[in-house]
Amino acid sequence: MEIRTGFIGLLGRVALCAAMGVAGSSTWMSARVTLPHVLSDGMVLQQRTDVKLWGKGIPGDKVTAVPTWNGVRSEAKVGNDSLWSMEIVTPSAGGPYDIRISDGDGSPVVLKDVLVGEVWFCAGQSNMEMPMKGFDRQPLKGMNGVIAKAKPTTPVRVFTTDSRKGHWVRTSAKTAQTDVGGEWWDNTPENVANTSAVAYLFARYINEVLDVPVGIIVSSLGGSRIEPWMSREAMAEFPGYSYDHLKEDAKENAWNDPCLLFNGKVSPFTSFPVRGFLWYQGESNRHNADMYDRLMAAMVKDWRARWGGGESMPFYFVEIAPFRYEGEDGVSAAKLREAQANALRLIPNSGIASTLDAGNYNFIHPVDKDTPAERLAWLALTDTYGMKGFGAHSPRYESMEVKDGKIYINVTDAPSGLCPMWTSLTGFEIAGADKKFYPAFAEIEEKTCRLAVSSKDVPEPVAVRYCYKNVPEPSVYNVAGLPLLPFRTDEGD
């Protein structure tokens, strides 16, 4: 009996099968046992956990699996719905290993070159999607040398739903899928060139520090809003959305319509254990920034529930970088950044990697991807892996006090104070009761390390804004070199 790996799923699309170079429908009819694409040669499994194996088969058949790391045999019976699943227990990081899967009648299939280590799910829009080689006419700084030095012996592996050998693959679905096309890539220059830069640089950093294999699952779509990444259940608390596009013959827009990317690019992985999530998205939600923090919190809660890890699964995300959008002095991006900062309070076990000092107002895709990747890695190394001795969190606004014509600002996550000292700071505005904001003088008090903000044009100040523009002028950092997150002390539009 024939056993095959890599099926397009119970609810997959024939067109996508053809696009991914997968065998046609006649082959599926002859296959006895099939596995989803993510369960294949070269994969990385999360260490020290129960890992699920699943697939399709002939009802009544018995499927067995034996991994070489312990030789323990697990088995499952194929149900009347043609589905089977079982769990195997993974060891501490190591490998390579094999997993032998058989239906007991015919040649078994052996999943080869399997590593065990740390696995992260990485999603978002174009700044997550942007590969190491850059987009056409949009390069990345310093990446050519990184690509050239990539070695297959480095245990960093990538599974991407977005690209096959450098050609974009666009996937969405009207119903939740159990599989999506893709394959695990090893660390060769050709593969690294076509891998998400932010995700890959994060994985490489984690591998170098922890000295364990690292796997990243990349699932992104440039220009997408957050709503398509959310399930129907997660969207339930947000009225006003239409779901007519989920009807069988209805037109759909994967970039805008709720649930389509969740169904096609998230749901297929919820049975595959991961350590946590990386998220780089938000530019396309500037139009509804006022609800973005709640949308993101609902999405994260839903993802965690579906993966079964709850709040123990970290969620680290990237602040959208400066870009001119409707104008340098506009505030649509500032509102979105504000929502991202607010989301930290709504999402337990989360962290934000600031890019306030790593953007370019002429390029929505910053050439610097090292900075966000490194800051994501610092968050993971401190908050997830328990390392100490270095900073990971950007300072955040905590409270204000008005006294003697000045507003004093207190912040969190600056245990050794703010910097630079003894100099005037940029990016601050101050307003009185008329809510008219003026450029402000700001400095860090030597004794208290508070920010002191004032203006001769505002003798009785009531509110302060910092970097509250599309293209701000950041000037304040903690001693670890992490930027103070933008903030405003006033409310309203």
Side-chain angles (χ1 to χ4, degrees):
M1 295 183 182
E2 182 183 10
I3 299 178
R4 292 184 56 86
T5 63
F7 71 111
I8 203 60
L10 299 178
L11 302 171
R13 298 177 179 178
V14 174
L16 182 58
C17 292
M20 296 300 297
V22 182
S25 58
S26 61
T27 302
W28 306 131
M29 295 300 294
S30 65
R32 289 294 302 256
V33 174
T34 57
L35 301 173
H37 285 77
V38 74
L39 297 177
S40 57
D41 291 349
M43 66 181 173
V44 181
L45 299 178
Q46 179 60 41
Q47 65 174 323
R48 297 192 297 271
T49 193
D50 295 330
V51 167
K52 183 178 179 180
L53 305 179
W54 75 98
K56 292 180 63 178
I58 303 300
D61 278 2
K62 182 172 67 174
V63 179
T64 63
V66 181
T68 58
W69 60 74
N70 61 9
V72 174
R73 174 189 174 106
S74 300
E75 62 181 50
K77 185 176 181 180
V78 182
N80 292 332
D81 56 2
S82 299
L83 301 179
W84 62 269
S85 68
M86 68 180 75
E87 288 186 346
I88 58 175
V89 179
T90 55
S92 297
Y97 301 105
D98 295 341
I99 302 176
R100 181 186 177 95
I101 300 176
S102 174
D103 65 357
D105 188 0
S107 300
V109 63
V110 178
L111 299 181
K112 300 180 179 180
D113 193 26
V114 176
L115 300 180
V116 178
E118 293 297 298
V119 185
W120 290 79
F121 184 77
C122 312
Q125 58 181 113
S126 57
N127 273 305
M128 178 62 81
E129 183 178 72
M130 194 172 193
M132 290 284 288
K133 66 182 181 183
F135 290 139
D136 290 347
R137 300 176 301 280
Q138 298 178 71
L140 291 180
K141 182 180 179 181
M143 294 302 101
N144 200 55
V146 176
I147 295 169
K149 293 179 180 179
K151 297 179 180 180
T153 53
T154 300
V156 172
R157 304 280 176 82
V158 183
F159 185 96
T160 178
T161 68
D162 309 323
S163 173
R164 183 171 176 84
K165 300 304 181 185
H167 299 286
W168 294 115
V169 178
R170 306 303 190 190
T171 305
S172 63
K174 294 178 181 291
T175 56
Q177 303 293 292
T178 58
D179 188 26
V180 62
E183 60 186 358
W184 283 95
W185 294 346
D186 61 3
N187 198 66
T188 65
E190 181 182 11
N191 290 336
V192 170
N194 295 307
T195 295
S196 160
V198 168
Y200 175 77
L201 294 170
F202 167 88
R204 192 182 68 155
Y205 203 109
I206 297 299
N207 164 252
E208 290 177 353
V209 174
L210 299 183
D211 196 23
V212 299
V214 177
I216 47 175
I217 298 172
V218 182
S219 198
S220 60
L221 182 62
S224 57
R225 294 165 50 170
I226 192 174
E227 291 91 340
W229 294 98
M230 300 173 63
S231 71
R232 185 69 181 268
E233 292 76 13
M235 291 294 301
E237 63 183 272
F238 303 98
Y241 287 91
S242 171
Y243 299 94
D244 290 344
H245 59 277
L246 297 179
K247 296 177 181 177
E248 184 175 351
D249 298 324
K251 292 183 178 180
E252 61 186 75
N253 184 327
W255 290 264
N256 296 330
D257 294 339
C259 311
L260 292 173
L261 297 179
F262 170 83
N263 289 337
K265 294 165 73 71
V266 178
S267 178
F269 301 107
T270 55
S271 293
F272 193 86
V274 299
R275 172 66 71 184
F277 308 103
L278 304 182
W279 177 249
Y280 195 165
Q281 190 277 339
E283 295 92 338
S284 292
N285 280 93
R286 293 176 298 107
H287 69 286
N288 63 344
D290 60 327
M291 60 188 297
Y292 185 80
D293 54 349
R294 293 179 291 117
L295 286 166
M296 187 157 64
M299 181 190 76
V300 175
K301 182 179 180 180
D302 182 64
W303 284 13
R304 285 171 167 171
R306 292 175 185 276
W307 258 275
E311 293 180 3
S312 66
M313 301 184 75
F315 182 83
Y316 302 129
F317 57 100
V318 182
E319 177 186 59
I320 64 168
F323 179 67
R324 50 186 167 80
Y325 295 108
E326 72 281 3
E328 294 181 35
D329 292 331
V331 296
S332 64
K335 290 181 178 180
L336 197 285
R337 293 188 200 103
E338 181 179 46
Q340 290 180 310
N342 290 340
L344 292 172
R345 293 190 287 269
L346 301 178
I347 305 173
N349 195 12
S350 66
I352 186 171
S354 176
T355 58
L356 206 63
D357 56 346
N360 185 300
Y361 73 93
N362 275 326
F363 299 97
I364 199 169
H365 304 124
V367 301
D368 178 6
K369 290 294 186 285
D370 269 316
T371 294
E374 186 175 59
R375 290 172 179 173
L376 288 170
W378 292 344
L379 288 167
L381 291 171
T382 56
D383 293 359
T384 300
Y385 298 112
M387 297 183 66
K388 298 179 180 180
F390 55 92
H393 295 271
S394 277
R396 287 187 290 157
Y397 168 79
E398 183 176 42
S399 63
M400 61 170 276
E401 176 187 358
V402 181
K403 184 178 180 181
D404 299 329
K406 295 183 179 181
I407 294 182
Y408 295 91
I409 300 295
N410 297 302
V411 304
T412 63
D413 293 307
S416 298
L418 296 172
C419 59
M421 295 289 294
W422 308 295
T423 186
S424 59
L425 306 169
T426 60
F428 286 88
E429 300 173 281
I430 196 166
D434 61 0
K435 297 184 180 181
K436 184 177 180 180
F437 280 87
Y438 295 85
F441 174 82
E443 61 182 351
I444 301 168
E445 283 191 320
E446 186 171 354
K447 291 184 179 180
T448 67
C449 282
R450 295 185 303 177
L451 286 163
V453 187
S454 62
S455 171
K456 61 181 179 57
D457 296 316
V458 186
E460 297 181 6
V462 298
V464 166
R465 292 182 175 185
Y466 172 67
C467 286
Y468 202 76
K469 294 182 179 180
N470 290 341
V471 183
E473 297 180 78
S475 62
V476 184
Y477 298 80
N478 62 15
V479 174
L482 294 164
L484 173 65
L485 297 183
F487 67 88
R488 59 173 173 169
T489 65
D490 61 306
E491 297 180 355
D493 296 334

